[in-house]
Coordinates of all heavy atoms in Angstrom, one line a residue:
M1 N 0.9 -1.2 0.0 CA 0.0 0.0 0.1 C 0.9 1.3 0.0 O 2.0 1.3 0.6 CB -0.9 -0.1 1.2 CG -1.9 1.2 1.3 SD -3.0 1.1 2.8 CE -4.6 1.1 1.8
C2 N 0.5 2.3 -0.7 CA 1.2 3.6 -0.7 C 1.3 4.1 0.6 O 0.4 4.0 1.5 CB 0.6 4.4 -1.8 SG -0.9 5.1 -1.5
P3 N 2.2 4.9 0.8 CA 2.5 5.5 2.2 C 1.5 6.4 2.7 O 1.1 6.6 3.9 CB 3.9 6.2 2.2 CG 4.2 6.4 0.7 CD 3.5 5.3 0.0
N4 N 0.7 7.1 1.8 CA -0.2 8.2 2.1 C -1.7 7.8 1.9 O -2.6 8.4 1.9 CB 0.1 9.5 1.4 CG 1.3 10.1 1.7 OD1 1.8 10.0 2.9 ND2 2.0 10.7 0.9
C5 N -1.8 6.5 1.5 CA -3.2 6.0 1.1 C -4.2 6.2 2.3 O -5.3 6.6 2.2 CB -3.2 4.5 0.7 SG -2.5 4.4 -1.0
G6 N -3.8 5.8 3.5 CA -4.7 5.8 4.7 C -5.0 7.4 4.9 O -6.2 7.6 5.3
D7 N -4.1 8.3 4.8 CA -4.5 9.7 5.0 C -5.4 10.2 4.0 O -6.3 11.0 4.3 CB -3.1 10.5 4.9 CG -2.2 10.3 6.1 OD1 -2.6 9.8 7.1 OD2 -1.0 10.6 5.9
F8 N -5.3 9.8 2.6 CA -6.2 10.3 1.6 C -7.5 9.7 2.0 O -8.4 10.5 1.8 CB -5.5 9.7 0.3 CG -6.5 10.1 -0.9 CD1 -6.4 11.2 -1.5 CD2 -7.3 9.1 -1.4 CE1 -7.3 11.5 -2.5 CE2 -8.2 9.5 -2.4 CZ -8.2 10.7 -3.0
Y9 N -7.6 8.4 2.2 CA -9.0 7.7 2.3 C -9.6 8.3 3.6 O -10.8 8.6 3.6 CB -9.0 6.3 2.4 CG -8.6 5.6 1.1 CD1 -7.4 4.8 0.9 CD2 -9.3 5.9 -0.1 CE1 -7.1 4.3 -0.3 CE2 -9.0 5.3 -1.2 CZ -7.9 4.5 -1.4 OH -7.6 4.0 -2.6
R10 N -8.9 8.6 4.7 CA -9.4 9.0 6.0 C -10.0 10.5 5.6 O -11.0 10.9 6.1 CB -8.3 9.2 6.9 CG -8.8 9.1 8.4 CD -7.7 8.9 9.5 NE -6.4 8.8 8.9 CZ -5.8 7.8 8.7 NH1 -6.1 6.6 8.7 NH2 -4.4 7.9 8.3
T11 N -9.3 11.4 5.0 CA -9.6 12.7 4.6 C -10.9 12.8 3.7 O -11.8 13.6 3.9 CB -8.4 13.5 4.0 OG1 -7.3 13.4 4.9 CG2 -8.9 15.0 3.8
V12 N -10.9 11.8 2.7 CA -12.1 11.7 1.8 C -13.3 11.4 2.7 O -14.5 11.9 2.5 CB -11.8 10.9 0.7 CG1 -13.1 10.6 -0.2 CG2 -10.8 11.5 -0.2
F13 N -13.1 10.5 3.6 CA -14.2 9.9 4.4 C -14.7 11.1 5.3 O -15.9 11.3 5.5 CB -13.7 8.8 5.4 CG -14.7 8.3 6.4 CD1 -15.7 7.6 6.0 CD2 -14.6 8.8 7.6 CE1 -16.7 7.2 6.9 CE2 -15.5 8.4 8.6 CZ -16.7 7.6 8.2
L14 N -13.7 11.9 5.9 CA -14.2 13.1 6.8 C -14.9 14.2 6.0 O -15.9 14.6 6.5 CB -12.9 13.7 7.4 CG -12.3 12.9 8.5 CD1 -10.9 13.5 8.9 CD2 -13.2 12.8 9.7
L15 N -14.5 14.3 4.7 CA -15.3 15.3 3.8 C -16.6 14.7 3.6 O -17.5 15.6 3.6 CB -14.4 15.5 2.5 CG -13.2 16.4 2.6 CD1 -12.5 16.4 1.4 CD2 -13.7 17.8 2.9
G16 N -16.7 13.5 3.3 CA -18.1 13.0 3.2 C -19.0 13.1 4.4 O -20.1 13.4 4.3
Q17 N -18.4 12.8 5.5 CA -19.1 13.0 6.8 C -19.6 14.4 7.1 O -20.6 14.7 7.5 CB -18.4 12.4 7.9 CG -18.2 10.8 8.0 CD -19.6 10.2 8.1 OE1 -20.3 10.3 9.0 NE2 -19.8 9.3 7.1
L18 N -18.7 15.3 6.6 CA -19.0 16.7 6.8 C -20.2 17.2 5.9 O -21.0 17.9 6.2 CB -17.7 17.6 6.6 CG -17.7 18.9 7.0 CD1 -18.0 19.2 8.5 CD2 -16.5 19.6 6.6
A19 N -20.1 16.6 4.8 CA -21.1 16.8 3.8 C -22.5 16.4 4.3 O -23.6 17.0 4.2 CB -20.9 16.4 2.3
V20 N -22.6 15.1 4.9 CA -23.6 14.6 5.4 C -24.3 15.5 6.6 O -25.4 15.8 6.7 CB -23.5 13.2 5.9 CG1 -24.7 12.6 6.7 CG2 -23.3 12.2 4.6
Y21 N -23.3 15.9 7.5 CA -23.7 16.7 8.6 C -24.2 18.0 8.1 O -25.2 18.4 8.7 CB -22.4 16.9 9.5 CG -22.6 18.0 10.5 CD1 -23.4 17.8 11.6 CD2 -22.0 19.3 10.4 CE1 -23.6 18.7 12.6 CE2 -22.3 20.2 11.4 CZ -23.0 19.9 12.4 OH -23.3 20.8 13.4
A22 N -23.6 18.7 7.0 CA -24.1 19.9 6.6 C -25.5 19.8 6.1 O -26.3 20.9 6.0 CB -23.2 20.5 5.4
D23 N -25.9 18.7 5.6 CA -27.4 18.6 5.1 C -28.4 18.3 6.2 O -29.6 18.2 6.0 CB -27.5 17.3 4.2 CG -27.1 17.8 2.8 OD1 -27.1 19.0 2.5 OD2 -26.7 16.9 1.9
M24 N -27.8 18.0 7.5 CA -28.9 17.9 8.5 C -29.5 19.1 9.0 O -28.8 20.1 9.1 CB -28.0 17.2 9.8 CG -27.4 15.8 9.5 SD -26.4 15.1 10.9 CE -27.5 15.1 12.1
D25 N -30.7 19.0 9.5 CA -31.3 20.1 10.1 C -30.6 20.6 11.4 O -30.2 19.7 12.3 CB -32.8 19.8 10.6 CG -33.8 19.6 9.4 OD1 -33.3 20.2 8.3 OD2 -34.7 18.9 9.5
G26 N -30.4 21.9 11.5 CA -29.6 22.3 12.6 C -28.2 22.2 12.6 O -27.5 22.5 13.6
A27 N -27.6 21.8 11.4 CA -26.2 21.8 11.3 C -25.4 23.1 11.6 O -26.1 24.1 11.2 CB -25.7 21.2 10.0
D28 N -24.4 23.1 12.1 CA -23.8 24.4 12.4 C -22.9 24.7 11.1 O -21.8 24.3 10.9 CB -22.7 24.2 13.6 CG -21.9 25.7 14.0 OD1 -22.0 26.6 13.1 OD2 -21.2 25.6 15.0
L29 N -23.5 25.5 10.2 CA -22.8 25.7 8.9 C -21.6 26.7 9.1 O -20.6 26.6 8.2 CB -23.7 26.4 7.9 CG -24.9 25.5 7.6 CD1 -26.0 26.2 6.6 CD2 -24.5 24.1 7.0
D30 N -21.4 27.5 10.1 CA -20.2 28.1 10.4 C -19.0 27.1 10.6 O -17.9 27.3 10.1 CB -20.4 29.0 11.6 CG -21.2 30.2 11.3 OD1 -21.3 30.7 10.1 OD2 -21.7 30.9 12.2
F31 N -19.3 26.0 11.4 CA -18.4 25.0 11.5 C -18.0 24.4 10.1 O -16.8 24.1 9.9 CB -18.9 24.0 12.5 CG -18.1 22.8 12.6 CD1 -17.0 22.8 13.5 CD2 -18.5 21.6 12.0 CE1 -16.2 21.6 13.5 CE2 -17.8 20.4 12.0 CZ -16.6 20.5 12.9
V32 N -18.9 24.0 9.4 CA -18.7 23.3 8.1 C -17.9 24.3 7.2 O -16.9 23.8 6.7 CB -20.0 23.1 7.5 CG1 -19.9 22.4 6.0 CG2 -20.8 22.0 8.3
N33 N -18.2 25.5 7.1 CA -17.5 26.5 6.4 C -16.1 26.7 6.9 O -15.0 27.1 6.1 CB -18.2 27.7 6.3 CG -19.6 27.7 5.4 OD1 -19.6 26.8 4.5 ND2 -20.4 28.5 5.7
A34 N -15.8 26.5 8.1 CA -14.5 26.7 8.8 C -13.6 25.5 8.5 O -12.5 25.6 8.2 CB -14.6 27.0 10.2
I35 N -14.1 24.3 8.6 CA -13.4 23.0 8.6 C -13.2 22.6 7.1 O -12.0 22.0 6.7 CB -14.1 22.0 9.4 CG1 -14.3 22.4 10.7 CG2 -13.5 20.7 9.2 CD1 -13.0 22.7 11.4
T36 N -14.3 22.8 6.2 CA -14.1 22.2 4.9 C -12.8 22.7 4.2 O -12.1 21.7 3.6 CB -15.3 22.5 4.0 OG1 -16.4 22.1 4.7 CG2 -15.2 22.0 2.6
P37 N -12.5 23.9 4.0 CA -11.2 24.2 3.4 C -10.0 23.6 4.0 O -9.0 23.2 3.2 CB -11.1 25.9 3.5 CG -12.5 26.2 3.9 CD -13.2 25.1 4.6
S38 N -9.8 23.4 5.3 CA -8.8 22.8 5.9 C -8.6 21.4 5.5 O -7.5 20.9 5.1 CB -8.9 22.9 7.4 OG -8.8 24.2 7.8
L39 N -9.8 20.6 5.4 CA -9.7 19.2 4.9 C -9.3 19.2 3.6 O -8.6 18.4 3.1 CB -11.0 18.6 5.2 CG -11.3 18.3 6.7 CD1 -12.8 17.7 6.7 CD2 -10.4 17.1 7.1
V40 N -9.8 20.1 2.7 CA -9.5 20.0 1.2 C -8.1 20.3 1.0 O -7.5 19.6 0.2 CB -10.4 20.9 0.4 CG1 -10.0 21.2 -1.0 CG2 -11.8 20.6 0.5
V41 N -7.5 21.3 1.6 CA -6.2 21.5 1.2 C -5.1 20.5 1.8 O -4.0 20.3 1.4 CB -5.5 23.0 1.7 CG1 -6.4 23.9 1.2 CG2 -5.6 23.0 3.3
S42 N -5.6 19.6 2.8 CA -4.7 18.6 3.5 C -4.9 17.3 2.6 O -4.2 16.4 3.0 CB -5.3 18.3 4.7 OG -6.6 17.5 4.9
L43 N -5.8 17.3 1.7 CA -5.7 16.1 0.8 C -4.3 15.9 0.0 O -3.7 16.8 -0.5 CB -6.9 16.3 -0.3 CG -8.1 15.8 0.1 CD1 -9.2 16.2 -1.1 CD2 -8.3 14.3 0.3
S44 N -3.9 14.7 0.2 CA -2.6 14.4 -0.5 C -3.0 14.0 -2.0 O -4.1 13.9 -2.4 CB -1.8 13.2 0.2 OG -2.7 12.0 0.1
E45 N -1.9 13.6 -2.8 CA -2.2 13.1 -4.0 C -2.9 11.9 -3.9 O -2.6 11.0 -3.0 CB -0.7 12.9 -4.8 CG 0.0 14.1 -5.3 CD -0.8 14.6 -6.4 OE1 -1.2 13.9 -7.4 OE2 -1.0 15.9 -6.5
P46 N -3.9 11.7 -4.8 CA -4.5 10.4 -4.7 C -3.7 9.1 -5.1 O -2.7 9.3 -5.8 CB -5.7 10.4 -5.9 CG -5.5 11.8 -6.5 CD -4.3 12.4 -6.0
P47 N -4.0 8.0 -4.4 CA -3.2 6.8 -4.6 C -3.3 6.4 -6.1 O -4.3 6.6 -6.8 CB -3.9 5.8 -3.7 CG -4.7 6.6 -2.7 CD -5.1 7.9 -3.5
P48 N -2.3 5.7 -6.5 CA -2.4 5.2 -7.8 C -3.6 4.3 -8.1 O -3.8 3.6 -7.3 CB -1.0 4.3 -8.0 CG -0.2 4.8 -6.8 CD -1.1 5.3 -5.7
G49 N -4.1 4.6 -9.3 CA -5.3 3.7 -9.8 C -6.5 4.4 -9.4 O -7.6 4.0 -9.9
I50 N -6.6 5.4 -8.6 CA -7.9 6.2 -8.3 C -8.4 7.0 -9.3 O -9.6 6.9 -9.7 CB -7.7 7.1 -7.0 CG1 -7.4 6.2 -5.8 CG2 -8.8 7.9 -6.9 CD1 -8.5 5.4 -5.3
L51 N -7.4 7.7 -10.1 CA -7.8 8.4 -11.2 C -7.3 7.8 -12.5 O -6.4 7.1 -12.5 CB -7.2 9.8 -11.2 CG -7.6 10.7 -9.8 CD1 -6.7 12.0 -9.9 CD2 -9.1 11.0 -9.9
S52 N -8.1 7.9 -13.5 CA -7.7 7.5 -14.8 C -6.3 7.9 -15.3 O -6.0 9.1 -15.1 CB -8.8 7.8 -15.8 OG -8.4 7.5 -17.2
E53 N -5.6 7.0 -15.8 CA -4.2 7.4 -16.4 C -4.1 8.5 -17.4 O -3.3 9.4 -17.6 CB -3.6 6.3 -16.9 CG -3.3 5.1 -15.8 CD -2.3 5.7 -14.7 OE1 -1.3 6.4 -15.1 OE2 -2.5 5.4 -13.7
D54 N -5.4 8.6 -18.3 CA -5.4 9.6 -19.3 C -6.1 10.8 -18.8 O -6.4 11.7 -19.7 CB -6.1 9.0 -20.6 CG -7.4 8.6 -20.3 OD1 -7.7 8.4 -19.0 OD2 -8.2 8.3 -21.3
L55 N -6.4 11.0 -17.5 CA -6.9 12.2 -17.0 C -6.0 13.4 -17.3 O -4.9 13.3 -16.8 CB -7.3 12.1 -15.5 CG -7.9 13.3 -14.9 CD1 -9.3 13.6 -15.4 CD2 -7.9 13.1 -13.4
D56 N -6.6 14.5 -17.8 CA -5.8 15.7 -18.0 C -6.3 16.7 -16.9 O -7.4 17.2 -16.9 CB -6.2 16.4 -19.3 CG -5.4 17.6 -19.5 OD1 -4.7 18.0 -18.8 OD2 -5.6 18.2 -20.6
R57 N -5.4 16.7 -15.8 CA -5.8 17.7 -14.8 C -5.9 19.1 -15.1 O -6.5 19.9 -14.3 CB -4.6 17.6 -13.6 CG -4.6 16.2 -13.2 CD -3.5 16.0 -12.1 NE -3.4 14.6 -11.7 CZ -3.3 14.2 -10.3 NH1 -3.3 15.2 -9.5 NH2 -3.3 13.0 -10.1
D58 N -5.6 19.5 -16.2 CA -5.6 20.9 -16.6 C -6.9 21.1 -17.4 O -7.4 22.1 -17.7 CB -4.5 21.4 -17.5 CG -3.3 21.4 -16.6 OD1 -3.3 21.7 -15.5 OD2 -2.2 21.1 -17.3
D59 N -7.7 20.0 -17.6 CA -8.9 20.1 -18.4 C -10.1 20.2 -17.4 O -10.2 19.2 -16.5 CB -9.0 18.7 -19.3 CG -10.3 19.0 -20.2 OD1 -10.7 20.1 -20.5 OD2 -10.9 17.9 -20.6
G60 N -10.9 21.1 -17.3 CA -12.0 21.2 -16.5 C -12.6 22.5 -16.4 O -12.1 23.4 -17.1
P61 N -13.5 22.9 -15.6 CA -14.0 24.2 -15.5 C -13.0 25.1 -15.0 O -12.1 24.9 -14.2 CB -15.2 24.0 -14.4 CG -14.8 22.8 -13.7 CD -14.1 21.9 -14.7
D62 N -13.2 26.4 -15.4 CA -12.2 27.5 -14.9 C -12.6 27.8 -13.5 O -13.8 27.8 -13.1 CB -12.4 28.7 -15.7 CG -11.8 28.5 -17.2 OD1 -11.0 27.6 -17.4 OD2 -12.2 29.2 -18.1
H63 N -11.5 28.1 -12.7 CA -11.7 28.7 -11.4 C -12.1 30.1 -11.6 O -11.9 30.8 -12.5 CB -10.5 28.6 -10.7 CG -10.6 28.9 -9.2 ND1 -10.6 30.1 -8.7 CD2 -10.8 28.0 -8.0 CE1 -10.6 30.1 -7.4 NE2 -10.7 28.9 -7.0
P64 N -13.1 30.5 -10.7 CA -13.8 31.9 -10.9 C -12.6 32.9 -10.8 O -12.9 33.8 -11.4 CB -14.6 31.9 -9.6 CG -15.0 30.7 -9.2 CD -13.9 29.7 -9.6
D65 N -11.5 32.7 -10.2 CA -10.5 33.7 -10.2 C -9.8 33.7 -11.4 O -8.9 34.7 -11.7 CB -9.5 33.5 -9.0 CG -10.1 33.7 -7.5 OD1 -11.0 34.3 -7.6 OD2 -9.6 33.1 -6.6
D66 N -9.8 32.8 -12.3 CA -9.0 32.7 -13.7 C -9.8 33.4 -14.7 O -9.3 33.4 -15.8 CB -8.8 31.2 -14.0 CG -7.9 30.4 -13.0 OD1 -7.1 31.1 -12.2 OD2 -8.0 29.2 -13.0
V67 N -10.9 33.9 -14.6 CA -11.8 34.5 -15.4 C -11.3 35.8 -15.8 O -10.7 36.5 -15.2 CB -13.3 34.5 -15.1 CG1 -14.1 35.2 -16.2 CG2 -13.7 33.1 -14.9

């Protein structure tokens, strides 16, 4: 197993749990908005085989700041 696979899967799991929590009635959206960016930037490179080999990482929607 790759050295960072556990970290990657754990962070993706936490992001999923945070998304579920955000959809709940009474969720603290200030908490969600504070934690989400930290989890996203802590994502490591995906383990081999997760993304297609022919994936062009530069192909996709423009970031709003790039317009």
